[in-house]
Amino acid sequence: MRGYVIVEVSGYALEKFMNLALKDSQYFWNIIRKNNKMYLYTTTKGFKKLKPYAKKSKCHIRIVEKRGLPFLQFRYRKRWMLAYGSLIFIGLMYLLCSFVWLVEVDGCKRLNETEVIETLEQNGYEVGRFKGRLDLRKAEQVLIDAYPEIIWTGVKYEGTKLVVQISESVPKPKLVEETEPCNLVAKRDALITYIATDKGMPQVKKGDTVKKGDLLVSGSIPYNDESGAFYLAHSKAQILAKTGYALTASMPLESVKKDYTERVSSRYNLRLFNFKMPIWKSHSKDVYNHFDEIVTVKQFKLTDKFPLPFYYECTQKVEYVPKQQVVEEETAKEKLYGALYDALLEKLGEGSNVLYHEVSYKQEEGKLVATLQAIVEEDVSEHVGLSLEEIMPQNKVEGENE
């Protein structure tokens, strides 16, 4: 801000010059010696004080470079438009930095970042808003109210960015209250292969065929006396059964391959919000029957924390020639088999076992259709709470006994 100069000292008594200057505690720095010359940095006042020492030591001293704001002002003292332009530029940059030009969300795992940004925009926290009018604490409450999965959120400014940090709750595991009376029912049609009851009254045995919704283990257990009374329990059993799955998938035996040519049409724009200003366009008058359009958008930034509302946009049309490509039947079969088997494993739970599976193929209208038939041994039981009709009669009997 105050300016400084780089001084060159030459002569045969450089050591004497340095001793005289250090004796009077003169201020200079960055001393470098090259051959028979010495270079040092000092202030403008310091340079004037070094002249007598140079004369006593018979050394020559001169300024080789001037740096700093005072010299810059003197150099451009007659260029008033440059000064005004600089002030206007600084003012515009300060004004632009008072707005939000980018919303950034961090920490989303189960939530969608785009949906979070849209929620903020619907409540007035969008790009282009003046930072002084935004209540960040209110924005945090908006997100917590909108998404029960959020247990904590922090909203802050980083330059011209509105940064939203989110912490999501851990999904609650599905817990079964073992004190609540319930039945075990079948969730699929199946053939019972194994049953071991821990609590409850079994209603089926090995070898029985059940349909979806059939009662497997009852939570109503009769007493061993002749009163006819029942007590309620939380049914618990290990039940395995054979079930059948049928999955179908298809794949075309012909596909289109894009053979790209060297013809590319480009268009460049500068964009401010939704206003586009064309910069340059490639002089290609050819009409492309088949092409892919690639759009590249880059936002101008002062630094990573100071994005600006100016965008550089490049749109390219890349021509290609479509070619029909025949897919080999064996390749199609391998892909369909892998996709169907993976889909089967996704449907099955832990502890399931695939006993048998078979895949059949047929061609229909240029497509290869695959059907997977599988027999699986799995747990087909699920807990279902007792209905009011099941509970009330037992309560009535217990009341009469009392």
Side-chain angles (χ1 to χ4, degrees):
M1 298 297 293
R2 293 182 298 173
Y4 64 93
V5 294
I6 302 176
V7 178
E8 179 189 82
V9 185
S10 58
Y12 295 100
L14 297 178
E15 292 81 1
K16 184 178 181 181
F17 169 80
M18 288 296 297
N19 290 330
L20 291 172
L22 291 172
K23 184 177 180 182
D24 289 343
S25 302
Q26 295 302 315
Y27 179 65
F28 45 84
W29 66 96
N30 286 0
I31 304 169
I32 301 173
R33 182 164 184 172
K34 292 182 180 180
N35 300 328
N36 293 327
K37 295 181 180 180
M38 184 170 58
Y39 299 89
L40 55 87
Y41 291 39
T42 185
T43 61
T44 52
K45 292 181 179 180
F47 173 72
K48 294 178 181 178
K49 292 181 179 180
L50 291 176
K51 288 183 177 180
Y53 309 131
K55 187 175 182 180
K56 289 182 180 180
S57 58
K58 298 182 180 180
C59 291
H60 179 68
I61 184 172
R62 71 184 185 93
I63 297 175
V64 294
E65 189 175 348
K66 300 176 181 180
R67 295 180 181 177
L69 185 60
F71 303 112
L72 194 65
Q73 290 176 338
F74 181 79
R75 185 182 306 170
Y76 298 105
R77 64 188 182 280
K78 295 182 180 180
R79 299 185 181 182
W80 298 107
M81 293 302 297
L82 179 63
Y84 291 144
S86 300
L87 291 175
I88 293 172
F89 176 78
I90 294 172
L92 285 175
M93 287 297 102
Y94 179 80
L95 180 64
L96 288 174
C97 291
S98 300
F99 291 82
V100 174
W101 300 121
L102 182 65
V103 180
E104 190 176 89
V105 179
D106 184 31
C108 285
K109 295 180 180 178
R110 290 179 289 128
L111 293 176
N112 188 293
E113 292 184 3
T114 303
E115 293 179 358
V116 173
I117 293 175
E118 289 177 353
T119 301
L120 289 171
E121 290 178 350
Q122 292 170 3
N123 289 272
Y125 298 89
E126 57 189 349
V127 171
R129 295 299 301 271
F130 183 63
K131 291 193 290 187
R133 296 182 179 180
L134 297 180
D135 187 349
L136 300 187
R137 305 291 77 81
K138 185 178 179 180
E140 295 171 354
Q141 192 60 45
V142 166
L143 292 178
I144 292 176
D145 294 340
Y147 299 98
E149 300 91 339
I150 297 178
I151 59 173
W152 176 86
T153 181
V155 182
K156 63 179 181 179
Y157 296 121
E158 287 188 1
T160 56
K161 291 195 300 184
L162 183 67
V163 180
V164 182
Q165 295 177 330
I166 290 176
S167 293
E168 298 179 6
S169 61
V170 179
K172 293 183 179 180
K174 187 177 180 180
L175 301 176
V176 179
E177 184 61 47
E178 295 192 358
T179 60
E180 180 182 352
C182 65
N183 297 327
L184 283 176
V185 299
K187 58 184 178 182
R188 290 179 57 85
D189 298 346
L191 174 67
I192 304 298
T193 59
Y194 177 83
I195 179 170
T197 306
D198 186 20
K199 289 182 182 181
M201 179 64 65
Q203 304 296 312
V204 295
K205 61 183 183 299
K206 180 180 178 181
D208 289 349
T209 301
V210 297
K211 293 185 177 181
K212 182 179 179 180
D214 286 352
L215 182 63
L216 302 179
V217 179
S218 174
S220 301
I221 306 173
Y223 287 104
N224 292 328
D225 53 20
E226 298 179 355
S227 63
F230 291 80
Y231 68 93
L232 306 180
H234 178 88
S235 299
K236 189 176 182 181
Q238 183 181 4
I239 304 172
L240 297 178
K242 288 183 180 180
T243 60
Y245 285 87
L247 303 176
T248 303
S250 63
M251 181 178 179
L253 293 175
E254 289 187 0
S255 62
V256 177
K257 180 183 178 183
K258 297 179 179 180
D259 190 5
Y260 290 97
T261 66
E262 295 183 355
R263 298 200 301 173
V264 179
S265 175
S266 302
R267 186 174 68 254
Y268 301 91
N269 299 317
L270 275 179
R271 181 159 62 89
L272 173 62
F273 301 112
N274 294 325
F275 175 75
K276 292 184 180 180
M277 182 177 66
I279 301 177
W280 179 76
K281 183 179 180 181
S282 61
H283 300 284
S284 177
K285 298 182 180 179
D286 299 331
V287 178
Y288 300 158
N289 294 324
H290 303 280
F291 61 89
D292 284 339
E293 189 172 74
I294 304 172
V295 180
T296 305
V297 179
K298 293 184 178 180
Q299 187 173 11
F300 288 99
K301 300 178 180 180
L302 293 178
T303 64
D304 290 338
K305 293 184 179 182
F306 287 89
L308 299 174
F310 303 103
Y311 304 86
Y312 165 80
E313 187 177 281
C314 175
T315 304
Q316 291 181 315
K317 291 183 179 179
V318 184
E319 185 191 33
Y320 68 86
V321 178
K323 291 184 178 181
Q324 293 292 331
Q325 185 178 21
V326 178
V327 180
E328 295 184 2
E329 187 173 343
E330 290 300 321
T331 303
K333 286 182 178 180
E334 290 179 3
K335 291 183 178 180
L336 288 173
Y337 174 78
L340 287 172
Y341 198 79
D342 290 342
L344 175 64
L345 295 179
E346 288 181 5
K347 288 180 173 291
L348 302 180
E350 295 182 2
S352 302
N353 184 26
V354 180
L355 302 177
Y356 170 79
H357 72 280
E358 181 182 18
V359 183
S360 59
Y361 303 94
K362 63 179 180 179
Q363 292 188 20
E364 291 181 356
E365 300 177 354
K367 296 187 297 183
L368 184 65
V369 181
T371 303
L372 175 82
Q373 300 284 346
I375 297 176
V376 178
E377 187 179 53
E378 61 177 339
D379 185 0
V380 295
S381 64
E382 63 179 351
H383 290 88
V384 176
L386 294 175
S387 63
L388 186 62
E389 291 77 6
E390 291 176 300
I391 298 175
M392 288 302 294
Q394 292 131 24
N395 289 343
K396 183 177 179 181
V397 171
E398 292 175 1
E400 290 176 353
N401 290 338
E402 289 176 1

Coordinates of all heavy atoms in Angstrom, one line a residue, residues 24-79:
D24 N 23.4 2.3 11.4 CA 22.4 3.3 11.7 C 21.0 2.6 11.6 O 20.0 3.3 11.6 CB 22.4 4.4 10.7 CG 23.6 5.3 10.9 OD1 24.2 5.2 12.0 OD2 24.0 6.1 10.0
S25 N 21.0 1.3 11.6 CA 19.7 0.5 11.6 C 18.7 0.9 10.5 O 17.6 1.2 10.8 CB 19.0 0.7 13.0 OG 19.9 0.3 14.1
Q26 N 19.2 1.0 9.3 CA 18.4 1.2 8.2 C 17.5 0.0 7.8 O 18.0 -1.1 8.0 CB 19.2 1.7 7.0 CG 19.9 3.0 7.2 CD 18.9 4.1 7.5 OE1 17.9 4.2 6.8 NE2 19.2 4.9 8.5
Y27 N 16.3 0.2 7.4 CA 15.3 -0.9 7.1 C 15.4 -1.3 5.7 O 15.0 -0.5 4.8 CB 13.9 -0.4 7.5 CG 12.9 -1.5 7.3 CD1 12.9 -2.7 8.1 CD2 11.9 -1.3 6.4 CE1 12.0 -3.7 7.9 CE2 10.9 -2.3 6.2 CZ 11.0 -3.5 6.9 OH 10.0 -4.4 6.7
F28 N 15.8 -2.5 5.4 CA 15.7 -3.1 4.1 C 15.6 -4.6 4.2 O 15.9 -5.2 5.3 CB 16.9 -2.6 3.2 CG 18.2 -2.7 3.9 CD1 19.0 -3.9 3.9 CD2 18.8 -1.6 4.5 CE1 20.2 -3.9 4.5 CE2 20.0 -1.6 5.1 CZ 20.7 -2.8 5.1
W29 N 15.3 -5.3 3.1 CA 15.1 -6.7 3.2 C 15.3 -7.4 1.8 O 15.6 -6.7 0.8 CB 13.6 -7.0 3.7 CG 12.5 -6.6 2.7 CD1 11.9 -7.4 1.8 CD2 12.0 -5.3 2.6 NE1 11.0 -6.7 1.1 CE2 11.0 -5.4 1.6 CE3 12.2 -4.1 3.3 CZ2 10.2 -4.3 1.2 CZ3 11.4 -3.0 2.9 CH2 10.4 -3.1 1.9
N30 N 15.3 -8.7 1.8 CA 15.5 -9.4 0.5 C 16.8 -9.1 -0.1 O 16.9 -8.6 -1.3 CB 14.3 -9.2 -0.5 CG 13.1 -10.0 -0.1 OD1 13.1 -10.7 1.0 ND2 12.0 -9.9 -0.9
I31 N 17.9 -9.2 0.6 CA 19.2 -8.9 0.1 C 19.8 -10.0 -0.7 O 19.8 -11.2 -0.2 CB 20.2 -8.5 1.3 CG1 19.6 -7.4 2.1 CG2 21.5 -8.1 0.7 CD1 20.3 -7.2 3.4
I32 N 20.1 -9.8 -2.0 CA 20.7 -10.8 -2.9 C 21.9 -10.2 -3.5 O 22.0 -9.1 -4.0 CB 19.6 -11.1 -4.0 CG1 18.3 -11.6 -3.4 CG2 20.2 -12.2 -4.9 CD1 17.2 -11.8 -4.4
R33 N 23.0 -11.0 -3.5 CA 24.2 -10.6 -4.2 C 24.5 -11.4 -5.4 O 24.4 -12.7 -5.4 CB 25.4 -10.8 -3.2 CG 26.7 -10.3 -3.8 CD 27.8 -10.1 -2.7 NE 29.0 -9.5 -3.3 CZ 30.0 -9.1 -2.5 NH1 29.9 -9.2 -1.2 NH2 31.1 -8.6 -3.1
K34 N 24.7 -10.7 -6.5 CA 25.0 -11.4 -7.8 C 26.3 -10.7 -8.4 O 26.3 -9.5 -8.7 CB 23.8 -11.2 -8.8 CG 22.6 -11.9 -8.4 CD 21.5 -11.7 -9.4 CE 20.2 -12.5 -9.1 NZ 19.2 -12.3 -10.1
N35 N 27.3 -11.6 -8.5 CA 28.6 -11.1 -9.0 C 29.1 -9.9 -8.1 O 29.2 -10.1 -6.9 CB 28.5 -10.7 -10.5 CG 28.1 -11.9 -11.3 OD1 28.4 -13.0 -11.0 ND2 27.3 -11.6 -12.4
N36 N 29.3 -8.8 -8.7 CA 29.8 -7.6 -8.0 C 28.7 -6.6 -7.7 O 29.0 -5.5 -7.4 CB 30.9 -6.9 -8.8 CG 32.2 -7.8 -8.9 OD1 32.5 -8.6 -7.9 ND2 32.9 -7.7 -10.0
K37 N 27.5 -7.1 -7.7 CA 26.3 -6.2 -7.5 C 25.5 -6.8 -6.4 O 25.4 -8.0 -6.1 CB 25.5 -6.0 -8.7 CG 26.3 -5.3 -9.8 CD 25.4 -5.1 -11.1 CE 26.1 -4.4 -12.2 NZ 25.3 -4.1 -13.4
M38 N 24.7 -5.9 -5.7 CA 23.9 -6.4 -4.6 C 22.5 -5.7 -4.8 O 22.4 -4.5 -5.2 CB 24.4 -5.9 -3.3 CG 23.6 -6.4 -2.1 SD 24.6 -6.1 -0.5 CE 24.8 -4.3 -0.7
Y39 N 21.5 -6.5 -4.6 CA 20.1 -6.0 -4.7 C 19.4 -6.1 -3.4 O 19.5 -7.1 -2.7 CB 19.3 -6.8 -5.8 CG 20.0 -6.7 -7.2 CD1 21.0 -7.6 -7.5 CD2 19.6 -5.8 -8.1 CE1 21.5 -7.5 -8.8 CE2 20.1 -5.7 -9.3 CZ 21.1 -6.6 -9.7 OH 21.7 -6.5 -10.9
L40 N 18.6 -5.1 -3.1 CA 17.8 -5.1 -1.8 C 16.5 -4.3 -2.0 O 16.4 -3.5 -2.9 CB 18.7 -4.5 -0.7 CG 19.2 -3.1 -0.9 CD1 18.3 -2.0 -0.4 CD2 20.6 -3.0 -0.1
Y41 N 15.6 -4.7 -1.1 CA 14.3 -4.0 -1.1 C 14.2 -3.0 0.0 O 14.7 -3.3 1.1 CB 13.1 -5.0 -0.9 CG 12.9 -5.9 -2.1 CD1 14.0 -6.5 -2.8 CD2 11.6 -6.3 -2.4 CE1 13.7 -7.4 -3.8 CE2 11.4 -7.2 -3.5 CZ 12.5 -7.7 -4.2 OH 12.2 -8.6 -5.2
T42 N 13.7 -1.8 -0.2 CA 13.5 -0.8 0.8 C 12.4 0.2 0.5 O 11.9 0.1 -0.7 CB 14.9 0.0 1.0 OG1 14.7 0.9 2.1 CG2 15.2 0.8 -0.2
T43 N 12.0 1.0 1.4 CA 11.0 2.0 1.1 C 11.6 3.2 0.4 O 12.8 3.3 0.3 CB 10.4 2.4 2.5 OG1 11.4 3.0 3.3 CG2 9.8 1.2 3.2
T44 N 10.7 4.1 0.0 CA 11.2 5.3 -0.7 C 12.0 6.2 0.2 O 13.0 6.7 -0.2 CB 10.0 6.1 -1.3 OG1 9.1 6.3 -0.2 CG2 9.3 5.3 -2.4
K45 N 11.6 6.3 1.5 CA 12.4 7.0 2.4 C 13.7 6.4 2.8 O 14.7 7.0 2.9 CB 11.6 7.2 3.7 CG 10.3 8.1 3.5 CD 9.6 8.3 4.9 CE 8.4 9.2 4.7 NZ 7.7 9.4 6.0
G46 N 13.6 5.0 2.8 CA 14.9 4.3 3.1 C 15.9 4.5 2.0 O 17.1 4.5 2.2
F47 N 15.4 4.6 0.7 CA 16.4 4.8 -0.4 C 17.1 6.1 -0.3 O 18.3 6.2 -0.5 CB 15.6 4.7 -1.7 CG 16.4 5.1 -2.9 CD1 17.4 4.2 -3.4 CD2 16.2 6.3 -3.5 CE1 18.2 4.6 -4.5 CE2 17.0 6.6 -4.6 CZ 18.0 5.8 -5.1
K48 N 16.4 7.2 0.2 CA 17.0 8.5 0.3 C 18.1 8.4 1.4 O 19.1 9.1 1.3 CB 16.0 9.5 0.6 CG 15.0 9.8 -0.5 CD 13.9 10.8 -0.1 CE 12.9 11.0 -1.3 NZ 11.9 12.0 -0.9
K49 N 17.8 7.6 2.5 CA 18.8 7.5 3.6 C 20.0 6.7 3.2 O 21.0 6.8 3.9 CB 18.1 6.9 4.8 CG 17.0 7.8 5.4 CD 16.4 7.2 6.6 CE 15.3 8.1 7.2 NZ 14.7 7.5 8.4
L50 N 19.9 5.9 2.2 CA 21.0 5.0 1.8 C 22.0 5.8 0.9 O 23.2 5.4 0.8 CB 20.5 3.8 1.0 CG 19.8 2.7 1.8 CD1 19.3 1.6 0.9 CD2 20.7 2.2 2.9
K51 N 21.6 6.9 0.3 CA 22.5 7.7 -0.6 C 23.8 8.1 0.1 O 24.9 8.0 -0.5 CB 21.8 8.8 -1.2 CG 20.7 8.5 -2.2 CD 20.1 9.7 -2.8 CE 19.1 9.3 -3.9 NZ 18.4 10.5 -4.5
P52 N 23.8 8.7 1.3 CA 25.0 9.1 2.0 C 26.0 7.9 2.2 O 27.2 8.1 2.1 CB 24.6 9.7 3.3 CG 23.2 10.1 3.1 CD 22.6 9.1 2.1
Y53 N 25.5 6.8 2.5 CA 26.4 5.6 2.8 C 27.0 5.2 1.4 O 28.2 4.7 1.4 CB 25.6 4.5 3.4 CG 24.8 4.9 4.6 CD1 23.4 4.6 4.7 CD2 25.4 5.6 5.6 CE1 22.7 5.0 5.8 CE2 24.7 6.0 6.7 CZ 23.3 5.7 6.8 OH 22.6 6.1 7.9
A54 N 26.3 5.3 0.4 CA 26.8 4.9 -0.9 C 28.0 5.9 -1.3 O 29.0 5.5 -1.9 CB 25.7 4.9 -2.0
K55 N 27.8 7.2 -1.0 CA 28.8 8.1 -1.3 C 30.1 7.9 -0.5 O 31.2 8.0 -1.0 CB 28.3 9.5 -1.0 CG 29.2 10.7 -1.5 CD 28.5 12.0 -1.3 CE 29.4 13.1 -1.8 NZ 28.8 14.5 -1.6
K56 N 29.9 7.5 0.8 CA 31.1 7.3 1.7 C 31.9 6.0 1.3 O 33.1 6.0 1.4 CB 30.6 7.2 3.1 CG 30.2 8.5 3.8 CD 29.8 8.3 5.2 CE 29.4 9.6 5.9 NZ 29.0 9.4 7.3
S57 N 31.1 5.0 0.8 CA 31.8 3.8 0.4 C 32.1 3.7 -1.0 O 32.6 2.7 -1.5 CB 30.8 2.6 0.7 OG 29.6 2.7 0.1
K58 N 31.9 4.9 -1.7 CA 32.2 5.0 -3.2 C 31.5 3.9 -4.0 O 32.1 3.3 -4.9 CB 33.7 4.9 -3.4 CG 34.5 6.1 -2.7 CD 35.9 6.1 -3.0 CE 36.7 7.2 -2.4 NZ 38.1 7.2 -2.6
C59 N 30.2 3.7 -3.7 CA 29.4 2.7 -4.4 C 28.3 3.5 -5.2 O 27.9 4.6 -4.8 CB 28.7 1.7 -3.5 SG 29.9 0.6 -2.7
H60 N 27.9 2.9 -6.3 CA 26.8 3.5 -7.1 C 25.5 2.8 -6.7 O 25.4 1.6 -6.6 CB 27.1 3.2 -8.6 CG 26.1 3.8 -9.5 ND1 25.8 5.2 -9.6 CD2 25.2 3.2 -10.3 CE1 24.9 5.4 -10.4 NE2 24.4 4.2 -10.8
I61 N 24.5 3.6 -6.5 CA 23.2 3.1 -6.1 C 22.1 3.6 -7.0 O 22.1 4.8 -7.4 CB 22.9 3.5 -4.6 CG1 21.6 2.9 -4.2 CG2 22.9 5.0 -4.4 CD1 21.3 3.1 -2.7
R62 N 21.2 2.7 -7.4 CA 20.1 3.2 -8.3 C 18.9 2.3 -8.1 O 19.0 1.1 -7.7 CB 20.6 3.2 -9.8 CG 20.8 1.8 -10.4 CD 21.3 1.8 -11.8 NE 21.3 0.5 -12.4 CZ 20.4 -0.1 -13.1 NH1 19.2 0.7 -13.4 NH2 20.5 -1.2 -13.6
I63 N 17.8 2.8 -8.5 CA 16.5 2.1 -8.4 C 16.3 1.3 -9.7 O 16.3 1.9 -10.8 CB 15.3 3.0 -8.1 CG1 15.5 3.7 -6.8 CG2 14.0 2.3 -8.2 CD1 14.4 4.8 -6.5
V64 N 16.0 0.0 -9.6 CA 15.8 -0.8 -10.8 C 14.3 -1.1 -11.0 O 13.9 -1.4 -12.2 CB 16.6 -2.1 -10.8 CG1 18.1 -1.8 -10.8 CG2 16.2 -2.9 -9.6
E65 N 13.5 -1.0 -10.0 CA 12.1 -1.2 -10.1 C 11.3 -0.6 -9.0 O 11.8 -0.6 -7.8 CB 11.8 -2.7 -10.2 CG 10.4 -3.1 -10.5 CD 10.2 -4.6 -10.7 OE1 11.2 -5.4 -10.7 OE2 9.0 -5.0 -10.8
K66 N 10.1 -0.1 -9.3 CA 9.2 0.5 -8.3 C 8.0 -0.3 -8.3 O 7.3 -0.6 -9.3 CB 8.9 2.0 -8.7 CG 10.2 2.9 -8.8 CD 9.8 4.3 -9.2 CE 11.0 5.2 -9.4 NZ 10.6 6.5 -9.8
R67 N 7.5 -0.6 -7.1 CA 6.3 -1.4 -6.9 C 5.4 -0.8 -5.8 O 5.9 -0.1 -4.9 CB 6.7 -2.8 -6.5 CG 7.4 -3.6 -7.6 CD 7.7 -5.0 -7.1 NE 8.5 -5.8 -8.1 CZ 8.9 -7.0 -7.9 NH1 8.7 -7.6 -6.7 NH2 9.6 -7.7 -8.8
G68 N 4.1 -1.0 -6.0 CA 3.2 -0.6 -5.0 C 2.1 0.4 -5.5 O 2.2 0.9 -6.6
L69 N 1.1 0.7 -4.7 CA 0.0 1.5 -5.1 C 0.4 2.9 -5.4 O -0.1 3.5 -6.4 CB -1.0 1.5 -3.9 CG -2.4 2.2 -4.2 CD1 -3.1 1.6 -5.4 CD2 -3.3 2.1 -3.0
P70 N 1.3 3.6 -4.7 CA 1.6 5.0 -5.1 C 2.2 5.1 -6.5 O 1.8 6.0 -7.2 CB 2.6 5.4 -4.0 CG 2.3 4.5 -2.8 CD 1.9 3.2 -3.4
F71 N 3.0 4.2 -6.9 CA 3.6 4.3 -8.2 C 2.6 3.9 -9.3 O 2.6 4.5 -10.4 CB 4.8 3.3 -8.3 CG 5.9 3.6 -7.2 CD1 6.1 2.7 -6.2 CD2 6.6 4.7 -7.3 CE1 7.1 2.9 -5.2 CE2 7.6 5.0 -6.3 CZ 7.8 4.1 -5.3
L72 N 1.7 3.0 -8.9 CA 0.6 2.7 -9.9 C -0.3 3.8 -10.1 O -0.7 4.1 -11.2 CB -0.2 1.5 -9.3 CG -1.1 0.7 -10.3 CD1 -0.3 0.1 -11.4 CD2 -1.9 -0.3 -9.6
Q73 N -0.6 4.6 -9.0 CA -1.5 5.7 -9.1 C -0.8 6.8 -10.0 O -1.4 7.5 -10.8 CB -1.8 6.3 -7.8 CG -2.8 5.4 -7.0 CD -3.0 5.9 -5.6 OE1 -2.2 6.7 -5.0 NE2 -4.1 5.5 -5.0
F74 N 0.5 7.0 -9.8 CA 1.2 8.0 -10.5 C 1.3 7.7 -12.0 O 1.2 8.5 -12.9 CB 2.6 8.2 -10.0 CG 3.5 9.2 -10.6 CD1 3.3 10.6 -10.4 CD2 4.4 8.8 -11.6 CE1 4.0 11.5 -11.0 CE2 5.1 9.8 -12.3 CZ 5.0 11.2 -12.0
R75 N 1.4 6.4 -12.3 CA 1.5 5.9 -13.7 C 0.2 6.2 -14.4 O 0.3 6.6 -15.6 CB 1.9 4.5 -13.7 CG 2.2 3.9 -15.1 CD 2.5 2.4 -15.0 NE 3.6 2.2 -14.1 CZ 3.9 0.9 -13.7 NH1 3.2 -0.1 -14.1 NH2 4.9 0.8 -12.9
Y76 N -0.9 6.0 -13.7 CA -2.2 6.1 -14.4 C -2.9 7.3 -13.9 O -4.2 7.4 -13.9 CB -3.0 4.9 -14.2 CG -2.4 3.6 -14.7 CD1 -1.8 2.7 -13.9 CD2 -2.5 3.4 -16.1 CE1 -1.3 1.5 -14.4 CE2 -1.9 2.2 -16.6 CZ -1.3 1.3 -15.8 OH -0.8 0.2 -16.3
R77 N -2.2 8.4 -13.5 CA -2.8 9.6 -12.9 C -3.7 10.3 -13.9 O -4.7 11.0 -13.4 CB -1.8 10.5 -12.3 CG -0.8 11.1 -13.4 CD 0.3 11.8 -12.7 NE 1.2 12.4 -13.7 CZ 2.2 11.8 -14.4 NH1 2.3 10.5 -14.1 NH2 3.0 12.4 -15.2
K78 N -3.5 10.2 -15.2 CA -4.3 10.9 -16.1 C -5.4 10.1 -16.8 O -6.1 10.6 -17.6 CB -3.4 11.5 -17.3 CG -2.4 12.5 -16.8 CD -1.5 13.0 -17.9 CE -0.6 14.1 -17.5 NZ 0.3 14.6 -18.6
R79 N -5.4 8.8 -16.4 CA -6.4 7.9 -17.0 C -7.6 7.8 -16.0 O -7.8 6.9 -15.2 CB -5.9 6.5 -17.2 CG -4.7 6.6 -18.2 CD -4.2 5.2 -18.6 NE -3.1 5.3 -19.5 CZ -2.5 4.2 -20.0 NH1 -2.9 3.0 -19.6 NH2 -1.5 4.3 -20.8

